[in-house]
Amino acid sequence: MNRATRKRKMLRDGFSGSKPITAIGAHDAMSAQMSDTAGFDAIWVSGFGVSTMTYAIPDANLVTMSEALAAAVRMDAAVNIPVVADCDNGFGGFANVIRTVQEYERAGIAGICIEDNHFPKRNSLYLGDSKRELIPMEEQARRIKAGKNAQESDDFVFIARVESLIAGHGVEDALKRANAYLEAGADAILIHSKDKTLKQIEAFLAEWPGGAPLVAVPTLFPDFTVEQLHDKGFQMVILANQLMRASVKAMEETLVTLKAERKAAAVDGSIAPVNYIFDLVKTKELIALEDQIK
Ligand code: SPV
Ligand code: MG
């Protein structure tokens, strides 16, 4: 079994398993590798994370498909667990969704997630934008169907993301869309929400007929554990941006100290030792290999 097939099988097995899949949002190869080492089940290639940490630009469809794919490929190379790539709205229209499926599948990524936000999208957590219209349901279903038809293998995973609750269209619209996307061939449904109380999600779950695994991103309902969300009906929980936010805070604190103290030793006690970094990328093993092959 090749690497891509093995990871896709792991992801599919996780979707039908008895335990939830916990995915960590990564923004680069090292954050992905560390998540794998820490024992998580999957990597979420966060569009928010890549926009912010690689390009320092807003998560608003400014990162192109090739840039996002390159980021996903770098992360995939660094891990043994499946990678699910956030593909925003498929980077454009109908034909862009098809090309996104083709390129990610050929690149060996385990699965992708495509949302029903119009191009150019806005990050779903951003509250300063009241204008949120979604791609009409029939059109999004048509795109999903075309994307699924474009797959070369059966095992590549397509997660359809429903933004109805984020856009204020309510539970009924979310259910209609989730069913339509499922009918169009989606392998799983990500139902996004920013409702802290989980009332809307619970109303959705009460009416959800099943038929595909559900995925949650609990950034704005952070008090629920993965197990609690699993008990409610989610099979995959994505902790999407905590590593990015941890990195930003650590870098900021380090910079403040360096600016004030003006010497390297001022931060030595609170940062990773250089040798630890060498270990993370297996420097010793590389040098041993160079010496070993005559
Ligand atoms: C991301 O991590 O880019 C996501 C999740 O899409 S969210 O930021 O909640 O939209
Ligand atoms: Mg995103």
Side-chain angles (χ1 to χ4, degrees):
M1 200 184 288
N2 72 23
R3 184 179 163 83
T5 309
R6 181 176 52 79
K7 289 189 183 189
R8 288 171 189 159
K9 185 174 171 346
M10 278 170 83
L11 183 57
R12 285 190 176 271
D13 287 351
F15 273 140
S16 56
S18 56
K19 289 198 201 125
I21 303 171
T22 311
I24 295 286
H27 51 269
D28 59 13
M30 185 47 68
S31 52
Q33 181 186 297
M34 291 172 76
S35 306
D36 185 3
T37 307
F40 288 94
D41 308 312
I43 298 300
W44 166 252
V45 180
S46 166
F48 186 21
V50 172
S51 307
T52 306
M53 303 301 270
T54 302
Y55 295 98
I57 55 178
D59 180 19
N61 268 141
L62 298 172
V63 173
T64 66
M65 188 204 68
S66 6
E67 290 169 342
L69 175 58
V73 166
R74 287 196 293 268
M75 293 186 212
D76 187 53
V79 300
N80 293 310
I81 51 178
V83 165
V84 174
D86 176 6
C87 288
D88 296 340
N89 40 22
F91 308 102
F94 179 84
N96 300 79
V97 170
I98 296 175
R99 182 158 184 253
T100 298
V101 169
Q102 291 170 329
E103 295 292 333
Y104 276 76
E105 185 185 17
R106 282 178 199 150
I109 302 301
I112 59 172
C113 176
I114 292 190
E115 67 202 36
D116 48 13
N117 281 310
H118 267 298
F119 188 101
K121 58 88 51 86
R122 301 277 181 264
N123 182 278
S124 306
L125 310 175
Y126 184 64
L127 302 174
D129 186 3
S130 53
K131 276 204 315 310
R132 278 196 191 269
E133 284 164 33
L134 303 183
I135 297 166
M137 182 182 79
E138 291 78 12
E139 171 57 14
Q140 184 67 357
R142 202 171 72 90
R143 293 180 190 185
I144 292 167
K145 193 169 176 186
K148 286 301 292 179
N149 287 346
Q151 270 183 223
E152 282 171 17
S153 67
D154 288 338
D155 53 2
F156 183 69
V157 172
F158 190 122
I159 303 174
R161 167 164 156 184
V162 176
E163 288 280 298
S164 307
L165 302 181
I166 296 282
H169 296 303
V171 174
E172 205 174 306
D173 185 70
L175 279 161
K176 265 205 224 146
R177 283 178 176 266
N179 280 309
Y181 301 166
L182 194 55
E183 220 164 273
D187 299 295
I189 300 290
L190 191 163
I191 171 80
H192 209 0
S193 169
K194 51 188 179 191
D195 171 16
K196 248 183 163 13
T197 66
L198 231 62
K199 286 237 158 57
Q200 282 195 316
I201 293 251
E202 273 170 349
F204 175 93
L205 293 169
E207 298 293 324
W208 172 245
L214 295 177
V215 182
V217 184
T219 309
L220 296 182
F221 38 99
D223 291 329
F224 295 91
T225 65
V226 171
E227 285 65 34
Q228 285 170 331
L229 292 169
H230 184 232
D231 287 346
K232 289 183 188 295
F234 289 103
Q235 190 57 25
M236 182 183 212
V237 176
I238 302 174
L239 303 172
N241 52 42
Q242 288 71 22
L243 286 190
M244 163 174 70
R245 289 157 59 197
S247 310
V248 165
K249 185 153 195 235
M251 288 192 283
E252 247 167 32
E253 284 172 2
T254 304
L255 289 165
V256 166
T257 308
L258 286 174
K259 188 99 200 293
E261 306 274 335
R262 313 207 63 74
K263 62 172 180 182
V267 294
D268 263 352
S270 55
I271 60 178
V274 170
N275 281 339
Y276 186 71
I277 306 293
F278 289 145
D279 289 350
L280 278 179
V281 292
K282 299 194 168 58
T283 310
K284 198 166 60 188
E285 288 83 343
L286 172 85
I287 290 168
L289 188 66
E290 283 187 338
D291 292 344
Q292 186 190 320
I293 311 276
K294 302 290 176 209

